[in-house]
Amino acid sequence: MARAGASVPPPGNGAAPVPRNANAAGSGPLSRTGDEFGAEPEGSLSELRQKLRTQRRLRLITLTTLAALVLLVLPAFFGIRAVSSDPVFASLDALSVPSWAAQKTKDNGSGSRWCLIDCRFRERVTDSERPFKETTEAYTKALKAAGWTQWKVVDCPESPVKAEEGTYTCWKRDEFTLDLAIGLPGCALDQLALDAYPAAGTEAAEAGEGAPEKCEGSTVSIKVRNEIADDRGKTDKKPGPVGVTPEPVLDENDPLLQQPTPEAS
């Protein structure tokens, strides 16, 4: 009879039982396999490194794309937007004039905003539904409210404007000058050019022939220049030679101008 606690071999086999803590190589009870410590095979580590390298490449590509977008695309976009939208015309749009004083607006511009070769010249032509005196009051009030100061200078206007035909004033603000000309509407000028009004006392005048159609309103012309390109009111501090330089007067007693006396042969 076996004693209590003794190891009993299985029937039909004389081999001793394998201890539970022994490994397959029989290295003893302190030996542990790699799987038992949670270590991964070499193939799994290689895949993990590959995934990390791929993620780093994706982050690098993303950062490079964002940098290119910020440094190249956005400046180009805002540069094109700035060139296409002239801030001077935008400031004219912001003038607080009534809607009846700005109808059928047309803008034209030429030259460079940075004064490369030629400074930029801007012109706006618009129609007003009311006479030029009332229109002048509306634009004068709007320009003063926007910070413009009336500029009384020689050659403003270059040609005198009749009081019954319109008004002409000049203005300054920051680095710009502005010419504001408000006159008769285009239909009135066309009628005068075509001599639409028959002479008084003629049969056509008495019969009412050639009577013009209803022509009301006024025409507004605004011209804006850079102050450095506007020569009005400037004096030349270093003028050049004035007048015609006289021809030099030769001295008649100069011996070089006297012909030698021929000697007697």
Side-chain angles (χ1 to χ4, degrees), residues 21-22 30-31 41 47 53 67 78 84-85 91 106 135 162 210-211 235 260:
N21 294 332
L30 297 179
S31 175
E47 292 177 1
R53 284 194 294 266
F78 288 110
S84 60
S85 60
S91 66
K106 296 180 181 178
T135 304
K162 296 180 180 180
T235 56

Side-chain angles (χ1 to χ4, degrees), residues 72-236:
L72 300 176
V73 178
L74 291 181
F77 170 75
F78 288 110
I80 295 174
R81 182 180 178 182
V83 171
S84 60
S85 60
D86 195 315
V88 174
F89 286 131
S91 66
L92 295 180
D93 293 335
L95 290 177
S96 58
V97 295
S99 58
W100 53 261
Q103 302 288 327
K104 300 178 182 179
T105 300
K106 296 180 181 178
D107 293 335
N108 292 307
S110 61
S112 170
R113 288 173 51 186
W114 297 274
C115 288
L116 300 176
I117 302 178
D118 291 327
C119 289
R120 187 160 179 80
F121 173 78
R122 306 160 177 93
E123 183 177 11
R124 166 169 291 188
V125 178
T126 185
D127 294 337
S128 173
E129 297 176 350
R130 300 188 184 183
F132 67 86
K133 291 184 179 180
E134 189 174 353
T135 304
T136 300
E137 293 177 359
Y139 273 92
T140 299
K141 182 179 180 181
L143 288 173
K144 289 182 178 180
W148 290 89
T149 305
Q150 193 164 356
W151 182 36
K152 295 182 179 180
V153 65
V154 181
D155 296 333
C156 175
E158 295 182 359
S159 301
V161 178
K162 296 180 180 180
E164 65 272 12
E165 293 183 356
T167 60
Y168 198 108
T169 54
C170 294
W171 303 77
K172 290 183 69 175
R173 191 187 75 175
D174 299 332
E175 71 271 21
F176 299 107
T177 63
L178 183 147
D179 289 27
L180 174 64
I182 304 177
L184 298 175
C187 56
L189 298 177
D190 293 340
Q191 290 168 2
L192 293 174
L194 296 175
D195 195 16
Y197 295 93
T202 61
E203 295 180 357
E206 294 178 358
E209 296 178 3
E213 297 180 356
K214 188 177 182 180
C215 182
E216 297 178 348
S218 56
T219 300
V220 181
S221 173
I222 301 176
K223 299 177 181 179
V224 182
R225 302 179 180 89
N226 286 72
E227 185 180 4
I228 60 174
D230 197 336
D231 296 331
R232 294 176 296 181
K234 297 180 180 179
T235 56
D236 191 357

